[in-house]
Amino acid sequence: MEKIAILFGSSTGNTESVAEAMAEKIGSDNVDLFNVAEASVDDLADYKNFILGASTWGVGDLQDDWDEFLSSFAEMDFAGKKVALYGLGDSMTYADSFVDGMKQIYDEISDKAEVIGAVDTDGYNFDESASVVDGKFIGLPLDEDNEDDLTESRVDAWLEDILGKFN
Ligand SMILES: Cc1cc2nc3c(=O)[nH]c(=O)nc-3n(C[C@H](O)[C@H](O)[C@H](O)COP(=O)(O)O)c2cc1C
């Protein structure tokens, strides 16, 4: 497997902590971590595998640093690249916009890159999410506000799925 770039945007540290935990599980030799607040397209151009992590703020808004960075993806050549998405959200307080932020990233890249790692909605309690496409989440939803006890098992199952699919 070629090296993975994990690119995260995080306002209070939850998406960042998950990025660090994923990096440790995958093995630091196989991963480079980038905070989207400091990253540039040049830093990322040579990677063929990406994990993109974003939280949702406002009501269904993409995390601020991601919001600033996202248009940079228009300049990036995603041909042959594989991308897996994860999103942090709050399924109780924001049950109608649960992890919506992921969808904004998906919309930017889904016709350029191969998006892997869709997740069944079973086991999640929410009313609506823009990140459900064709009946599945487009990436891995995580809820550190209400279900932090489920995060590790959700991450483990998801990594098992995506690591076999990367370049
Ligand atoms: C003001 C505010 C608005 C939020 N809006 C949403 C939302 O619309 N949808 C959602 O799923 N989560 C929402 N959340 C929950 C955050 O996404 C969640 O706490 C997340 O873990 C934060 O991750 P971060 O620390 O990496 O930014 C909101 C939280 C706050 C405090």
Side-chain angles (χ1 to χ4, degrees), residues 146-160:
N146 310 292
E147 299 177 332
D148 60 331
D149 52 322
L150 297 178
T151 295
E152 186 167 18
S153 57
R154 285 171 169 170
V155 166
D156 287 348
W158 188 66
L159 288 179
E160 203 175 311

Side-chain angles (χ1 to χ4, degrees), residues 10-15 55-58 60 88-90 94 97-99 145:
S10 186
S11 298
T12 63
N14 290 336
T15 310
S55 52
T56 300
W57 287 83
L88 273 283
D90 176 340
Y94 297 94
S97 58
F98 180 48
V99 296
D145 296 290

Side-chain angles (χ1 to χ4, degrees), residues 8-17 53-61 63-64 87-101 128-129 142-145:
F8 63 87
S10 186
S11 298
T12 63
N14 290 336
T15 310
E16 180 168 13
S17 301
S55 52
T56 300
W57 287 83
V59 180
D61 297 338
Q63 190 267 344
D64 279 350
L88 273 283
D90 176 340
S91 59
M92 280 179 75
T93 312
Y94 297 94
D96 290 329
S97 58
F98 180 48
V99 296
D100 277 11
E128 275 181 52
S129 174
L142 297 170
D143 183 346
E144 282 288 287
D145 296 290

Side-chain angles (χ1 to χ4, degrees), residues 2 15 34 36 48-51 54-55 57-58 64 74 84 96 120 148 151 164 167:
E2 300 213 23
T15 310
F34 298 92
V36 77
K48 294 204 166 72
N49 299 320
F50 291 88
I51 295 176
S55 52
W57 287 83
D64 279 350
D96 290 329
D120 279 339
D148 60 331
T151 295
N167 287 299

Side-chain angles (χ1 to χ4, degrees), residues 81-118:
K81 299 187 195 283
K82 297 200 181 178
V83 179
L85 299 163
Y86 74 94
L88 273 283
D90 176 340
S91 59
M92 280 179 75
T93 312
Y94 297 94
D96 290 329
S97 58
F98 180 48
V99 296
D100 277 11
M102 272 199 299
K103 178 63 160 40
Q104 295 186 36
I105 302 176
Y106 178 85
D107 285 344
E108 188 66 39
I109 54 150
S110 60
D111 56 357
K112 303 194 281 186
E114 183 181 344
V115 179
I116 59 172

Side-chain angles (χ1 to χ4, degrees), residues 116-131:
I116 59 172
V119 169
D120 279 339
T121 55
D122 297 350
Y124 290 91
N125 293 305
F126 67 104
D127 293 327
E128 275 181 52
S129 174
S131 293

